[in-house]
């Protein structure tokens, strides 16, 4: 032992004396090569196979003094081809804290001082020095935190550690780094050979340390007992262990004549650096691993034989709930058999390249998930970096667990929602995912972008993760969270469903797997939402707000349509409200001045739908209606901007009682591929002084008809009645006039006018008058009344003789008066015709109907019983003289006063009865009596 120590000391002194001369020339790599070999020394290219050995070697440019130009090597980095991996479970790593043997130790010393044992050896390192060639076994040692694996060998009694990590900033291949290498001797080149099966006994002869001549520090006898358990570095555990494969070729193949690249980067102690690559190739003959000139290398080749690789994964899927139309989580488990990962003669399962999962029809993205959800910005994905993703917890929608035969512990990860890059749901860039798998202990941070493609019309979801790492995966489990904010929703219909999975390996093989899931029956029930509608204050004749509340429970057919029928007298004061132009309304860009209310919708299944709010705007004519509404809601659902949804409504005014109907365009059921699953609709029409209550307190209702997605209809009503009608005043004034000049040819004229003019009064409901005997109906005109079958189609088609007058009504709810003609309309039979006044303005038409009756004494009475519950400031009816006048004169109209019994009944029941004196114009003035001169009285004194 003393002699050995002396030689070691002399060698160390010699190395120090030779040293590293100051470098002036450029640091450079002259040769860089590597080979993957079988046991006979031939190239081994079988994809997914286990080679006998693989290694790399490099040489540096040396100057005339034999020393490397630019100084010695400080750091080395070798990037192996993606998919070329080592199985750390194939060998027993040397525990941390154990010493890397130098070759000077005895068996007793190894046992006593805790040196690494032979069952940790995985290869051989050969270092070319200016003073000779140094060889050392390469040990697998327990890795330090932050790296996947660590290799170590002894270099001049100093351990060199090579850390292996996964390139999570690129193609997820393996990178080996050695740093702060020994400066005590100038390195001219290094070869590192790893054994495909470290326990293979063919490597026993190399399980020792030696310096190869010309500097022979250690007796050759140290390795003479190769294979003998007495050898200091050949333990019984190696001799009796079952050989396990350590190295595996990639499972992706290249085209003929195309290899895969290995890259080396070196830094010198003096600041120089260089890098080089080589393309995989066969050796020219059965030769040991050594750098070869390009003209000496065999043909370039990459992995071959991919068709022979097994790829038979299994898939299992399970929903967290079986209820229809409900938020649900999803668990998907993938398993890849890896039985030959350690079989030296076997072929491993091809690595997974692409996974595509297609959900069944009806199983869609859930709007309920949007509440509180944020998108992870791309900068926080950290794709292309070695760092872990830094996504916020609010973007997390699931967890991931992966196992690999290369590591003993499972890897944990998460599934995040990414920020939106497109508004096309089918592009895969609108709904984006990030799958992460991390191990801080091993420095692994896998970040896989995923694309979710959604059918815009049906909402069917397909998620794809492409270019997965070329690493063996045993199992992969994805769990999308359940609960009310689950990202998915179950179909509304019940029964068996299928989740379809398509998996493609890096070897090019594709398999498809179907996973059955069941949705509990019964499925969607008929639509029957809860519904209320009315005003916030029902004080008669007062302004108020109108509210609509619709709630659809889970499990019912989707709400897709709505129309309302408001009770007569429930009005909107449109006068003074700007109308949103048609182009602006369709674009959802109405000015705030036209806003009359707010709409709030709840979307998504479960107990916590996602709520959105938008404006309700008054528009001009829409689809034949005189007015319209436009509901515009900007859909910002969590991280997704789905644009502005505009739903327009017709405001129709009934021509018989002036009640308003609201007919909505179809309610959207799907938006950008996301079924809305409308759960609630709340509308508040709360513009000040806009909604006006009726002045009649009769029990009424707000009727509704709901449309379901299956085409069915559901009718409902909400009770409504105004209150305190009796307190409303009612003080109309009624006046009438005619002209004294009548004739058989032109008949008589008649003008009537009602003035209310006091805001807050009850509206007039019934007006009944009886004309005096002097103004009888003109029977020749009565006989020329228009048939109702003609009038109902188009009053303009009525005979000219039936047009007997005109009218005008001024109402504060409209900007302009309602005006129009008055017709005699016959309903057939023996009855008298009606006087129908067609009032029109701003697109509104109302037919005021007066029932005419002529008594046996020739007295004409008319009763208008359908006056609308609408505030009227003034109403004037003109029945002029002419060839088709409705009235004629009976004798002189100037002889005595013309009195017309008049009864006006309000909607609150109050009546005003009067005997209206008809003013007659054109009567001759009464002659004044002659004045006789007065006899003056005599004054009595």
């Amino acid at each position: 032992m003393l002699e050995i120590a002396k030689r070691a000391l002399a060698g160390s002194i010699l190395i120090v004396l030779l040293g590293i001369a100051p470098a002036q020339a450029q640091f450079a790599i002259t040769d860089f090569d590597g080979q993957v070999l079988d046991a006979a020394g031939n190239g081994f290219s079988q994809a997914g196979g286990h080679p006998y050995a693989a290694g790399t070697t490099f040489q540096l440019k040396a100057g005339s003094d034999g020393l490397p130009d630019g100084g010695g090597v400080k750091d080395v980095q070798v990037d192996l081809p993606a998919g070329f991996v080592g199985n750390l479970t194939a060998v027993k790593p040397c525990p941390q804290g154990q010493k890397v043997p130098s070759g000077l130790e005895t068996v007793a010393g190894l046992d006593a001082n805790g040196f690494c044992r032979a069952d940790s050896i995985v290869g051989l390192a050969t270092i070319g020095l200016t003073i000779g060639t140094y060889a050392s076994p390469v040990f697998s040692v327990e890795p330090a935190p932050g790296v996947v694996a660590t290799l170590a060998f002894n270099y001049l009694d100093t351990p060199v550690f090579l850390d292996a990590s996964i390139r999570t900033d690129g193609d997820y291949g393996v990178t080996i780094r050695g740093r702060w290498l020994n400066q005590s001797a100038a390195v001219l080149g290094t070869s590192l050979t790893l054994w495909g099966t470290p326990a293979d006994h063919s490597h026993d002869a190399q399980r020792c340390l030696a310096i190869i001549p010309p500097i022979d520090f250690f007796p050759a006898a140290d390795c003479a007992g190769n294979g003998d358990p007495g050898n200091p570095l050949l333990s019984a555990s190696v001799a009796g262990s079952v050989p396990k494969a350590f190295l595996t070729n990639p499972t992706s193949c290249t085209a003929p004549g195309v290899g895969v690249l290995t890259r080396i980067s070196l830094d010198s102690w003096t600041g120089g650096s260089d890098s080089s690559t080589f393309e995989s190739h066969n050796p020219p003959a059965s030769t040991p691993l050594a750098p070869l000139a390009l003209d000496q290398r065999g043909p370039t080749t990459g992995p071959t034989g991919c068709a022979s690789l097994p790829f038979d994964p299994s898939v299992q899927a399970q929903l967290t709930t079986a209820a229809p139309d409900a938020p649900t989580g999803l668990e998907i488990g993938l398993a890849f058999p890896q039985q030959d990962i350690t079989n030296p003669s076997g072929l491993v399962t091809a690595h997974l390249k692409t996974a595509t999962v297609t959900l069944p029809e009806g199983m869609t993205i859930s709007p309920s998930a949007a509440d509180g959800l944020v998108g992870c910005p791309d900068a926080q994905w950290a794709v292309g970096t070695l760092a872990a993703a830094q996504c916020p917890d609010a973007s997390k929608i699931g967890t991931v667990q992966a196992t690999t035969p290369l590591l003993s512990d499972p890897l944990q990860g998460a599934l995040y929602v990414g920020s939106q890059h497109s508004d096309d749901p089918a592009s895969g860039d609108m709904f984006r995912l990030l799958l992460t798998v991390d191990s801080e202990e091993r420095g692994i941070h896998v970040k896989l972008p995923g694309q979710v493609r959604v059918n815009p019309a049906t909402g069917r979801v397909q998620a794809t993760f492409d270019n997965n790492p070329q690493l063996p995966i045993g199992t992969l489990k994805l769990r999308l969270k359940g609960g009310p904010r689950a990202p998915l929703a179950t179909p509304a219909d019940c029964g068996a469903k299928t989740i379809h999975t398509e998996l493609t390996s890096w070897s090019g093989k594709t398999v498809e797997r179907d996973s059955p899931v069941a949705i509990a029956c019964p499925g969607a029930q008929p639509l029957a939402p809860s519904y209320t509608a009315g005003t916030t204050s029902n004080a008669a004749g007062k302004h108020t707000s109108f509210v609509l509340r619709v709630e659809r429970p889970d499990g019912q057919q989707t709400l897709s349509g709505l129309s309302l029928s408001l009770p007569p007298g429930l009005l909107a004061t449109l006068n003074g409200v700007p109308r949103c132009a048609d182009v602006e309304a369709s674009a959802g860009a109405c000015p705030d001045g036209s806003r009359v209310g707010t709409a709030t919708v709840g979307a998504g299944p479960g107990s916590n739908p996602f709520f959105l709010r938008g404006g309700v705007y008054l528009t001009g004519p829409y689809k034949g209606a005189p007015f319209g509404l436009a509901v515009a809601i900007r859909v910002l659902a969590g991280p997704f901007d789905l644009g502005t949804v505009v739903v327009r409504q017709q405001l129709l005014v009934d021509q018989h009682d002036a009640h308003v109907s609201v007919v909505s365009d179809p309610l959207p059921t799907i938006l950008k591929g996301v079924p809305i699953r409308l759960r609630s609709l709340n509308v508040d029409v709360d513009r000040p002084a806009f909604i006006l209550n009726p002045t009649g307190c009769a029990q009424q209702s707000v009727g509704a008809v709901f449309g379901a997605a299956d085409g069915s209809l559901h009718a409902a009503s909400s009770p409504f009645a105004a209150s305190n009608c009796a307190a409303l005043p009612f003080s109309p004034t009624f006046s009438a006039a005619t002209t004294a000049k009548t004739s058989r040819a032109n008949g008589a004229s008649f003008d009537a006018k009602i003035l209310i003019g006091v805001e807050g009064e009850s509206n007039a409901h019934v007006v009944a008058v009886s004309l005096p005997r002097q103004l009888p109906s003109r029977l020749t005109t009565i006989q020329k009344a228009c048939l109702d079958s003609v009038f109902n189609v188009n009053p303009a088609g009525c005979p000219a003789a039936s047009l007997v007058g005109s009218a005008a009504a001024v109402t504060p709810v409209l900007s302009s008066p309602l005006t129009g003609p008055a017709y005699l309309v016959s309903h057939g039979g023996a009855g008298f015709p009606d006087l129908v006044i067609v009032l029109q303005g701003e697109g509104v038409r109302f037919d005021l109907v007066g029932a005419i009756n002529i008594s046996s004494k020739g007295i004409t009475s008319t009763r208008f019983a359908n006056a609308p519950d609408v505030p009227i400031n003034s109403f004037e009816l003109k029945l002029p003289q002419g060839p088709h006048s409705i009235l004629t004169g009976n004798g002189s109209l100037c002889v005595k006063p013309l009195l017309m019994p008049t009864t006006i009944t309000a909607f609150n029941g109050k009546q005003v009865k009067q005997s209206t004196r008809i003013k007659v114009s054109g009567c001759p003035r009464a002659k004044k009596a002659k004045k006789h001169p007065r006899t003056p009285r005599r004054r009595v004194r």
Side-chain angles (χ1 to χ4, degrees), residues 43-105:
F44 183 84
S45 63
Q46 173 61 54
H50 305 294
Y52 177 77
T56 61
T57 179
F58 71 87
Q59 290 185 338
L60 297 177
K61 180 183 177 184
S64 58
D65 55 1
L67 298 176
D69 288 341
V73 176
K74 173 189 174 186
D75 299 326
V76 59
Q77 174 175 314
V78 177
D79 297 325
L80 301 179
F84 188 85
V85 295
N87 182 7
L88 300 180
T89 66
V91 294
K92 182 179 180 181
C94 178
Q96 290 187 17
Q98 299 283 67
K99 300 176 183 179
V100 179
S102 66
L104 301 179
E105 294 77 17

Side-chain angles (χ1 to χ4, degrees), residues 734 754 764-769 862-865 867 902-905:
F734 187 92
I754 299 177
H765 182 35
V766 179
V767 178
V769 298
T862 305
R863 187 173 188 269
F864 293 91
T902 305
T903 301
I904 306 175
T905 305

Side-chain angles (χ1 to χ4, degrees), residues 281-340:
H281 59 85
N282 286 329
S286 298
T287 58
L289 183 66
L292 300 171
L294 290 177
D295 58 355
Q296 294 178 312
R297 296 179 181 180
T300 299
T301 185
T304 60
C306 282
S308 302
L309 296 183
F311 187 68
D312 188 24
S314 62
V315 181
Q316 288 186 333
Q318 183 177 357
L319 304 178
T320 60
T321 180
D325 190 27
T328 183
L330 173 64
E331 297 182 3
I332 295 181
L334 308 179
F336 303 87
Q338 299 287 346
Q339 62 269 20
D340 282 340

